Amino acid sequence: MSGNSGKNPVPVDTNGITPFQQMLVSCSGALLTSLFVTPLDVVKIRLQAQKSPFPKGKCFVYCNGLMDHTCVCTNGNSKAWYKAPGHFNGTLDAFIKIGRREGIKSLWSGLPPTLIMAVPATVIYFTCYDQLRAALRVRMGSHAEEAPLLAGALARVGSVTVISPLELIRTKMQSQRSLYRELSEVIHSAVRNEGWRSLWRGWGPTLLRDVPFSAMYWYNYEKGKAWLCKHNNIREPTFAITFISGAVSGSIASIVTLPFDVVKTRRQVEIGELQAMNLSSKASSSTLSVMTKIVAENGVGGLFVGFLPRVIKVAPACAIMISCYEFGKAFFRKHNQERLLTSTT
């Protein structure tokens, strides 16, 4: 006859782990992803700067594998990491020379400030996705297989809506070289001059890219994972299965949404440069006008510029993030089951 040892069982949800544990594993996955992927973007930016040096007010997009950030070049910042001298003969040469001459840490230049936005955004996104998928599977009945598609889209809308104004404020503070203690003044100034809606400028183009991406990514990921498990006659996915499923589904989603990525990147840079010149970002072009301009200048092919670099960046980022996330969830699920068994004996 079993008795209670006095320990309280872990309050788990239908996923087998608590929301706090989901947040913890998504945070860990986000940090690992950024550590692996950031050097690729640092090298890309250094090669861009070598070809065409960034003048004052010029913006570039920095990606840490989790989200894109607008970086503004300011005057008197000759020691900035992206302005460091060096002659590189390609990507591999840049990796070697930066590591040797500037130290291995230089491959992660500019990363810490971006993680302030990227890690919370990733935690919100992954935790919301798991919670929504579990709830929708119950409610959707015979259509439960489509739950990942809807959950992925809704989770992305939530994370983008929360993070968009924070990222816009970060860019504005960078362009004005403001200190964090001046944060409230920067927000009041933006609201006073352009209204509350200005804090979500760029929200639309981000959703146009990220929501279809997320819907396709999660749907294909869950399908691919289930197929690989069935093919290998196993119930629980291995690290390799989640890694492959993440890489393939991320590649597919990145290719399909590439035109929206091109438009979003151009608008992101445009808004950043207007802020750097202290001009109202209301002057920035609409998504449709940017798309029309790209087609007029470069043809339809202009919307698919950067196809290979995007896939090379997105595929490993998706693979690393999801495999770390699934590994962490499996660890906590097992831990919770063991605690539950201990508490009932």
Side-chain angles (χ1 to χ4, degrees):
M1 187 174 175
S2 64
N4 197 314
S5 64
K7 294 178 183 178
N8 293 322
V10 180
V12 299
D13 63 11
T14 51
N15 292 306
I17 67 172
T18 66
F20 176 75
Q21 289 170 340
Q22 287 174 334
M23 291 180 193
L24 196 62
V25 294
S26 57
C27 180
S28 303
L31 291 171
L32 283 169
T33 302
S34 63
L35 287 174
F36 275 103
V37 178
T38 297
L40 295 171
D41 217 55
V42 168
V43 167
K44 184 198 77 175
I45 292 163
R46 290 290 296 274
L47 288 168
Q48 281 178 345
Q50 176 181 283
K51 187 179 177 182
S52 178
F54 299 128
K56 179 195 173 186
K58 182 70 177 174
C59 289
F60 61 89
V61 174
Y62 176 104
C63 179
N64 53 23
L66 303 171
M67 64 183 286
D68 296 336
H69 302 270
T70 308
C71 292
V72 185
C73 303
T74 54
N75 235 2
N77 203 15
S78 58
K79 292 184 179 179
W81 63 268
Y82 49 84
K83 290 186 178 179
H87 182 73
F88 313 119
N89 299 311
T91 304
L92 185 60
D93 185 54
F95 267 108
I96 295 166
K97 285 180 178 174
I98 291 170
R100 278 181 183 170
R101 295 174 185 174
E102 301 169 33
I104 200 74
K105 286 199 301 184
S106 297
L107 291 170
W108 287 271
S109 298
L111 177 61
T114 66
L115 290 179
I116 295 168
M117 303 293 169
V119 172
T122 306
V123 170
I124 293 166
Y125 174 49
F126 274 79
T127 306
C128 285
Y129 167 75
D130 260 349
Q131 295 293 318
L132 285 166
R133 186 193 59 174
L136 288 168
R137 274 182 169 167
V138 174
R139 293 174 178 271
M140 292 174 75
S142 59
H143 298 286
E145 284 192 354
E146 278 72 54
L149 190 145
L150 186 56
L154 290 172
R156 182 58 80 181
V157 170
S159 64
V160 169
T161 303
V162 171
I163 296 298
S164 274
L166 300 177
E167 176 62 16
L168 203 71
I169 290 162
R170 188 195 68 82
T171 308
K172 193 181 281 285
M173 289 181 72
Q174 188 189 20
S175 64
Q176 295 172 2
R177 305 190 77 177
S178 305
L179 300 173
Y180 277 99
R181 64 171 175 265
E182 300 171 292
L183 178 63
S184 61
E185 178 52 37
V186 171
I187 296 170
H188 287 145
S189 175
V191 172
R192 187 170 58 246
N193 296 332
E194 302 178 53
W196 279 104
R197 288 179 64 187
S198 68
L199 297 178
W200 279 270
R201 189 154 288 123
W203 178 79
T206 305
L207 285 187
L208 278 173
R209 182 194 67 173
D210 289 0
V211 171
F213 179 96
S214 296
M216 279 185 282
Y217 170 76
W218 285 112
Y219 182 78
N220 290 327
Y221 169 73
E222 298 289 357
K223 285 282 188 184
K225 184 176 70 171
W227 183 85
L228 286 170
C229 285
K230 186 178 178 181
H231 183 73
N232 290 283
N233 293 315
I234 54 175
R235 287 186 63 188
E236 293 296 323
T238 62
F239 187 88
I241 285 175
T242 57
F243 192 93
I244 293 165
S245 301
V248 172
S249 55
S251 299
I252 293 167
S254 68
I255 292 165
V256 175
T257 58
L258 183 59
F260 296 117
D261 181 63
V262 172
V263 171
K264 191 251 180 187
T265 300
R266 185 174 286 200
R267 279 209 70 199
Q268 198 174 0
V269 168
E270 189 180 80
I271 290 169
E273 289 176 355
L274 285 169
Q275 288 179 342
M277 293 184 285
N278 290 319
L279 297 174
S280 170
S281 49
K282 287 179 182 177
S284 65
S285 310
S286 68
T287 301
L288 184 61
S289 64
V290 170
M291 195 173 277
T292 306
K293 188 179 179 183
I294 291 170
V295 173
E297 289 175 354
N298 308 300
V300 177
L303 294 172
F304 293 89
V305 168
F307 161 79
L308 195 58
R310 178 157 161 80
V311 173
I312 290 169
K313 179 175 67 178
V314 171
C318 287
I320 295 164
M321 181 66 213
I322 196 63
S323 51
C324 291
Y325 184 62
E326 294 281 23
F327 178 83
K329 286 201 300 181
F331 170 81
F332 276 118
R333 201 175 285 122
K334 185 181 178 183
H335 173 73
N336 292 343
Q337 286 170 352
E338 287 172 356
R339 281 191 65 182
L340 196 61
L341 285 170
T342 304
S343 68
T344 54
T345 56

